[in-house]
Amino acid sequence: MIIYKGTPMIETKRLMLRKIEMNDARRMFDYIFSDHRVMDNLIKGPHKEISETIDRLTEITNQYRSEKFCYWGIEMKESGELIGTIDLYNIDDGTENCEVGYNIGFNWWNQGYGSEALHAIIEFAFRFMNIHKISATHNIDNPASGRIMLKVGMKREGIIRHMIRKNNQYKDCGIYGILQQEYLETNLPYRTVILNIVH
C-alpha cells in the first residue's frame, strides 16, 4: 500500500528539495520555463510570457493541499538558487507504480545535480512511500537525461516509438525503470545524498 506523504522538504549534500512558491515565478521563467534548451525536450515547449509561468505555478501550488501531490523545486543549499524541478506523477494505487520527471536549468547541466535530486526522490519514494516501481522516459533527442537515469540505478527497458508528438512531429522515447526490491537489494552508497526529510 502506498503511504502518501505529500511534498516534504528533502535535504541532500548540495540541494534542498522543497515546495514551489509563487515568488519563484520570475526565476523559473528566466532560467527554466522560457529556456528552449531545457523546455524543448518537453511536450509543451518553452513559455513565451511570464504569465504562463504564473499560471503553471498557481496550478502547482494549489495542488499541495493533496497528500498525493509530489512536486519539488530543486534549490542550491549554498546559494539558495532555484535550479530546477522534480516530481512524482501518474501514481497508481492499483499497481503501486509511478513515474518521475525532472528538469535542470541549463547553467547547472553536467554538474551532477540532476542525478543527486533524482536519487533522493527515488530513495524517498521507495523507503517512505512504499512505491513498487518508478519509471521515467526521455525524448531520444535528449540522451543526457537517459544517462542520469542509468546513473541512479534505473534500467533501460526499451524504446516506445512515436510516444509523443511535438510541433506536429512524432518522437520516440526511451523508457527506464527501477523496482523497489532491486533498489533496496543493490543500493550502493551514494555519497552525495543525505536524506533529511522535514515535514
Side-chain angles (χ1 to χ4, degrees), residues 22-81:
M22 289 305 300
N23 61 13
D24 293 319
R26 170 52 66 180
R27 183 167 183 86
M28 290 190 72
F29 177 76
D30 289 344
Y31 291 99
I32 302 168
F33 286 169
S34 69
D35 191 335
H36 70 90
R37 294 167 296 189
V38 178
M39 300 301 290
D40 275 354
N41 294 306
L42 302 180
I43 295 173
K44 293 184 178 179
H47 292 179
K48 294 180 174 61
E49 303 288 342
I50 193 170
S51 59
E52 296 176 76
T53 301
I54 291 171
D55 289 346
R56 177 65 180 132
L57 264 60
T58 300
E59 179 184 315
I60 290 167
T61 55
N62 285 342
Q63 291 183 79
Y64 284 131
R65 301 184 190 118
S66 170
E67 286 291 296
K68 295 186 176 184
F69 188 65
C70 306
Y71 192 107
W72 293 265
I74 302 171
E75 181 181 281
M76 299 279 290
K77 279 169 62 173
E78 190 171 308
S79 65
E81 295 174 299

Side-chain angles (χ1 to χ4, degrees), residues 2 35 37 51 73 77 84 91 119 133 135 140 150 181:
I2 296 175
D35 191 335
R37 294 167 296 189
S51 59
K77 279 169 62 173
I91 303 174
H119 187 274
K133 179 183 180 180
S135 300
I140 60 169
L150 291 172
Q181 181 178 352

Side-chain angles (χ1 to χ4, degrees), residues 90-158:
N90 286 348
I91 303 174
D92 188 304
D93 287 302
T95 61
E96 299 177 350
N97 296 344
C98 72
E99 296 181 58
V100 64
Y102 51 87
N103 58 59
I104 300 289
F106 178 78
N107 292 348
W108 300 276
W109 285 7
N110 301 313
Q111 298 177 57
Y113 297 123
S115 54
E116 184 170 337
L118 180 57
H119 187 274
I121 295 306
I122 287 174
E123 176 92 359
F124 169 73
F126 285 150
R127 294 192 184 275
F128 294 90
M129 291 181 64
N130 195 39
I131 293 291
H132 173 71
K133 179 183 180 180
I134 302 172
S135 300
T137 59
H138 71 85
N139 182 331
I140 60 169
D141 293 341
N142 182 26
S145 187
R147 289 193 290 272
I148 290 175
M149 297 171 195
L150 291 172
K151 191 179 291 186
V152 301
M154 302 184 87
K155 296 179 180 178
R156 183 168 176 170
E157 298 180 342

